[in-house]
Coordinates of all heavy atoms in Angstrom, one line a residue:
H78 N 97.9 16.0 144.6 CA 98.9 15.0 144.5 C 98.5 13.8 145.4 O 98.7 13.8 146.6 CB 100.2 15.6 145.0 CG 101.4 14.7 144.8 ND1 102.6 15.3 144.6 CD2 101.6 13.4 144.8 CE1 103.5 14.3 144.4 NE2 102.9 13.1 144.6
H80 N 98.2 9.2 145.2 CA 98.5 8.0 144.5 C 97.3 7.1 144.7 O 97.1 6.6 145.9 CB 99.8 7.4 144.9 CG 101.0 8.3 144.6 ND1 101.6 8.2 143.4 CD2 101.6 9.3 145.3 CE1 102.6 9.1 143.4 NE2 102.6 9.8 144.6
M110 N 98.3 10.7 140.5 CA 99.6 10.6 139.8 C 99.6 9.4 138.9 O 99.0 8.4 139.2 CB 100.7 10.5 140.9 CG 101.1 11.9 141.5 SD 101.7 13.0 140.2 CE 101.9 14.5 141.1
D170 N 106.1 11.6 138.5 CA 106.2 11.5 140.0 C 106.7 10.2 140.5 O 106.2 9.1 140.0 CB 105.0 12.0 140.7 CG 105.2 12.0 142.2 OD1 106.2 12.7 142.6 OD2 104.4 11.4 142.9
H250 N 105.8 18.5 146.5 CA 106.3 18.2 147.8 C 107.6 18.8 148.2 O 108.6 18.0 148.4 CB 106.3 16.7 148.1 CG 106.8 15.8 147.0 ND1 108.1 16.0 146.4 CD2 106.3 14.7 146.4 CE1 108.3 15.1 145.5 NE2 107.2 14.3 145.5
D339 N 100.3 14.0 148.9 CA 101.2 12.9 148.4 C 100.8 11.6 149.1 O 101.6 10.8 149.4 CB 102.7 13.2 148.7 CG 103.6 12.3 147.8 OD1 103.1 11.5 147.0 OD2 104.8 12.4 148.0
Ligands
ZN17 ZN1 103.9 11.4 144.9

Side-chain angles (χ1 to χ4, degrees):
H78 189 148
H80 297 272
M110 283 297 177
D170 184 53
H250 45 51
D339 194 6

